[in-house]
Amino acid sequence: MESKQLKAIQQSFAVPFEYPVIFSRDVLSSSNDLLVETISRLGEKRRHRVAVFIDAGVVKSHKDLPKKVEQYFKTHTKQLELTAAPRVIPGGEEIKGDGMLLLGVMNSLVSQRLSRHCIVLIIGGGAVLDAMGFAASLIHRGLRVIRMPTTALAQCDSGVGVKTSVNWEGKKNIAGTFAPPFAVINDFSLLDTLPDGEWGAGIAEAFKVAIIKDADFFNFLCDHAAQMKARDREVLEQMIIRCAELHLEHICTSGDPFEYGQARPLDFGHWAAHKLETMSNYRIGHGQAVAVGLALDSIYAARQKWISEAELKQILTGLRASGLTLWYSELDKTDKKGNPEILTGLEDFQEHLGGELCITFPQGIGRKMEVNEIDRAEVKKAIQRLKSET
Ligand SMILES: NC(=O)c1ccc[n+]([C@@H]2O[C@H](COP(=O)([O-])OP(=O)(O)OC[C@H]3O[C@@H](n4cnc5c(N)ncnc54)[C@H](O)[C@@H]3O)[C@@H](O)[C@H]2O)c1
Ligand SMILES: [Zn+2]
């Protein structure tokens, strides 16, 4: 065989990405200039056009939020223009799984006549940020997005990163884009109305990143587990800030912000979590499922001697003491051959990674390792142990 190349031109360029992740309170109060400063952070001397989308679940608990947004824009009318009344869209997985809803928000973006320099301000949980972020990344090949995450999980994890996604054909996050935001503003006061289970989700993601990246943070979480369970705001805010910091650090320093390689360290515990979510038809939320995934993969890691039995106990005790549930009946479901249904999550995960399986496990606390093979019989044993302990 002979290569018949006539000419090859090697193309290469790098595009820098930078965005601030800011923590504040009462961001939409007319006396707080943070939002208007963030929108105009590039020093462009013009009136900024902004389209606003708000999670219906947030509006349910903060009924005055759309009005507050309008008031904010009135106060800052010299610098800001609201392109339409804030649009309230369904929250949770509903927005990620309904194609008609997605087309609806894309139509709304188009009808608001936004250019690539306009801002889409998205206020909501991780699901709304994912779906709206996806829609905004497609219009004009990418509008400027400012995220205002309203759940603990979104403030410390999903809302600070570079990915958007929707679910399709029962497959979680099957369609999506890499679209770094223009800015992220975490408003702690929006968390006041967060349902209990949603706090747990943020705590689970904090344990995830601590176990594989930061032993000190892991110890902090274990030492403050009871306070986190009691929803001590100061501790939870410290948790959110450190967890977000670790995520951002990973995106910056891993050398693979857009996940071209196989390894997905931030997906520790997630192969089982994603499957559990879909098996339960999303009754079990993402973060709740992550807590189970972490427990399962930690037991697996202990069986392989990648972490010690003492470290495993610390992990399981820490997760439970902070109020996380580590067992759901879905884990008992088996296929015709008697194999746990959850195991098919490994195939889905492998497909998602592009063919080769690569799963992150802790190697001691605060360090990680990647493996390309999983012993299904060992996972079965890990499931049995998790069940026996709950
Ligand atoms: N893009 C990423 O990198 C990434 C990473 C991890 C997770 N995710 C995705 O994030 C989603 C989960 O996000 P989530 O955990 O933030 O939950 P969520 O967005 O599903 O929200 C959960 C519920 O809480 C409501 N809600 C949101 N904020 C509220 C508030 N302040 N007060 C009262 N109710 C509120 C929502 O309306 C919804 O009903 C999943 O779809 C997951 O796949 C994405
Ligand atoms: Zn997650």
Side-chain angles (χ1 to χ4, degrees), residues 168-188:
W168 211 261
E169 295 287 329
K171 299 233 179 203
K172 178 86 183 159
N173 297 338
I174 190 77
T177 52
F178 287 100
F182 184 73
V184 181
I185 303 179
N186 279 335
D187 182 341
F188 285 140

Side-chain angles (χ1 to χ4, degrees), residues 157 205 208 270 286 290:
D157 179 311
E205 295 285 3
K208 171 197 78 178
H270 276 52
H286 179 75
V290 167

Side-chain angles (χ1 to χ4, degrees), residues 210-216 218-219 306-307 311-312 314-315 362-368:
I211 293 168
I212 53 167
K213 279 185 177 282
D214 187 339
D216 288 343
F218 175 73
N219 290 331
W306 299 328
I307 59 173
E311 288 168 331
L312 172 63
Q314 232 188 325
I315 293 173
Q363 192 176 29
I365 299 282
R367 285 195 308 140
K368 62 175 178 60

Side-chain angles (χ1 to χ4, degrees), residues 18 21 25 63 117 123 135 148 151 171 173 180 182 188 196 200 205 258 264 274 292 299 302 321 324 332 366:
E18 47 86 34
V21 176
R25 281 197 182 79
K63 294 208 169 30
H117 297 110
I123 307 174
M148 213 187 278
T151 64
K171 299 233 179 203
N173 297 338
F182 184 73
F188 285 140
D196 232 26
E205 295 285 3
F258 291 170
R264 301 274 176 86
H274 285 164
V292 176
I299 297 175
L324 294 165
D332 266 336

